[in-house]
Amino acid sequence: MSEVTALPLPRAVSDLPLSVGVEEEFLLVDADTGVLVPLAGAVLGGVRSALDLQQEMTLYQVESATGVCLSMTEVREQLLAARRALAALAGPHGARIVATGTPVLGGVRPPPLAASDRYRTIAAEYGSLIDGLTICGCHVHIGIPDEDTGVLISNHLRQWLPVLLAISANSPFTDGRDSGYASWRYLAWSPWPSAGAPPWFESAEDYHRCAGVLRTGGAALDPAMVYWDVRLSARHPTVELRVCDVAATVDEAVVLAALVRAIAVTALAGAPAQRVPDLLLRTALWRAARDGLDGAGIEPRSGRLVPAADLARALVEWTRPALRAAGDEDLVVDGVDRVLLDGTGAVRQRRAFRRRGSLVDVVRMLAAQT
């Protein structure tokens, strides 16, 4: 990655910040035992809030979404308000929210689903795949003027998917044991037939042709079930990045959002996107899920194993002009340095377990951290 260089931004690009929105998914756990509790309906049933708080597919989960933001200050304020609101709503039910990609202590399989005809149809169509649905991600939306712009950004994001996954890795434990991975969520999600890295697209028309293959073959029932790691949103005029674990903290979520937007701006500035072969990208994503930043990653030009931390630094350098133009340079440089120094969410979970010797204490740490 050392040969990757950033381009100076055309003034027209740097003067027009792209809008950004962030969705976060959380698990609901018993405040005393740390075990999953199916209380999403009760927690959100009477909510009256200006915040966008929603149920997810399982009753073990709740979700928040920011509005359309133009600055990372806005993103941070809205994420913080949503986490505080969800924590306050869960408290009277004896529950807490935790930001982790997978249930540390497990839950019932198949998980209890929210009442929805669509969810019942998905369960009937895809069988035991729903057993792995109790997972939580962070989705970053970037506003786009048209779908061809979204495809351009998708192709640029594609080459950086393993690095973004490694930075966000926050799911080492599952069902009461260490999975051996930094992001078990990514592996748990991968059996879905429409999941994984997207193809390289030549145009918006090519994007829809590929998405149509999934729907024709039954791998996706509708556009909302096109679960690629990057996709054109079925509901909003955005391109949506879906590869990341839910961030352990608000500050880490903001860093992810700033990086994703900076990649998009760099794409619009005319930087070339590397067309990473599908097999190499798939392997790099597996490696990122296994090691996070605390090991090796795959350099996409050569296919060589290199320190994952070097790949994270290369991403910061590649996007630095876009980060500087948006006023996000210090935020991202400091945020990535902090994760490299203190460890990803996965590293901190394992550290807490070694220190305390109890997965219940890990869940309590996660709830406090959230």
Side-chain angles (χ1 to χ4, degrees):
M1 302 293 288
S2 58
E3 66 269 32
V4 174
T5 56
L7 298 179
L9 299 181
R11 184 171 180 81
V13 174
S14 62
D15 285 353
L16 295 172
L18 297 177
S19 66
V20 60
V22 179
E23 297 173 353
E24 293 193 295
E25 299 163 346
F26 305 98
L27 297 176
L28 289 166
V29 300
D30 184 273
D32 295 322
T33 66
V35 174
L36 289 175
V37 287
L39 294 176
V43 167
L44 296 177
V47 63
R48 295 291 182 272
S49 171
L51 300 169
D52 190 352
L53 310 177
Q54 308 169 17
Q55 287 191 191
E56 254 295 327
M57 190 166 175
T58 84
L59 292 177
Y60 292 138
Q61 297 165 278
V62 289
E63 179 184 32
S64 72
T66 71
V68 177
C69 301
L70 292 179
S71 73
M72 291 306 133
T73 299
E74 288 181 85
V75 172
R76 188 181 191 282
E77 289 173 351
Q78 292 189 30
L79 290 178
L80 189 59
R83 288 190 181 206
R84 286 173 171 166
L86 286 170
L89 289 167
H93 300 277
R96 302 185 77 180
I97 62 166
V98 294
T100 182
T102 47
V104 173
L105 295 174
V108 175
R109 297 194 180 195
L113 302 182
S116 160
D117 289 341
R118 183 169 183 272
Y119 293 160
R120 284 188 284 269
T121 299
I122 290 173
E125 190 71 20
Y126 298 97
S128 292
L129 283 180
I130 68 168
D131 290 356
L133 279 178
T134 311
I135 54 177
C136 295
C138 174
H139 303 166
V140 180
H141 289 256
I142 302 298
I144 53 175
D146 54 67
E147 290 189 335
D148 281 312
T149 300
V151 166
L152 172 68
I153 294 170
S154 173
N155 287 341
H156 281 74
L157 284 167
R158 187 175 178 272
Q159 71 198 59
W160 296 107
L161 289 174
V163 184
L164 293 166
L165 174 59
I167 291 171
S168 73
N170 185 34
S171 51
F173 297 110
T174 183
D175 295 334
R177 64 187 179 89
D178 193 317
S179 68
Y181 286 80
S183 174
W184 182 248
R185 178 203 62 87
Y186 191 78
L187 274 295
W189 183 237
S190 63
W192 283 83
S194 63
W200 175 280
F201 302 115
E202 301 297 339
S203 63
E205 181 181 2
D206 187 35
Y207 175 95
H208 289 294
R209 181 189 62 80
C210 293
V213 170
L214 296 176
R215 295 197 300 275
T216 299
L221 298 181
D222 51 42
M225 275 196 72
V226 175
Y227 291 143
W228 286 321
D229 294 336
V230 187
R231 69 178 183 183
L232 300 179
S233 173
R235 296 186 298 160
H236 308 291
T238 64
V239 59
E240 177 186 5
L241 179 103
R242 302 166 50 83
V243 76
C244 296
D245 283 5
V246 63
T249 66
V250 165
D251 287 339
E252 286 167 282
V254 174
V255 169
L256 288 170
L259 274 171
V260 174
R261 182 168 70 171
I263 294 171
V265 171
T266 305
L268 298 183
Q274 184 181 354
R275 188 168 182 167
V276 182
D278 292 347
L279 179 59
L280 181 58
L281 184 56
R282 177 181 173 86
T283 307
L285 281 161
W286 170 81
R287 189 79 197 197
R290 197 190 82 159
D291 286 10
L293 290 180
D294 198 35
I298 295 178
E299 202 282 324
R301 281 175 169 73
S302 66
R304 294 182 295 107
L305 285 176
V306 298
D310 289 354
L311 300 177
R313 294 188 184 100
L315 173 56
V316 173
E317 289 306 313
W318 192 72
T319 57
R320 191 179 287 270
L323 293 168
R324 185 176 298 134
D328 297 333
E329 182 179 12
D330 289 344
L331 180 152
V332 169
V333 170
D334 292 347
V336 172
D337 284 348
R338 190 178 310 115
V339 171
L340 291 173
L341 179 65
D342 296 338
T344 62
V347 169
R348 300 199 303 274
Q349 286 194 46
R350 286 183 169 129
R351 188 182 298 145
F353 179 67
R354 289 194 300 269
R355 184 170 63 248
R356 304 176 187 184
S358 166
L359 288 177
V360 175
D361 284 337
V362 172
V363 178
R364 289 173 181 154
M365 181 275 291
L366 285 166
Q369 185 176 247
T370 303

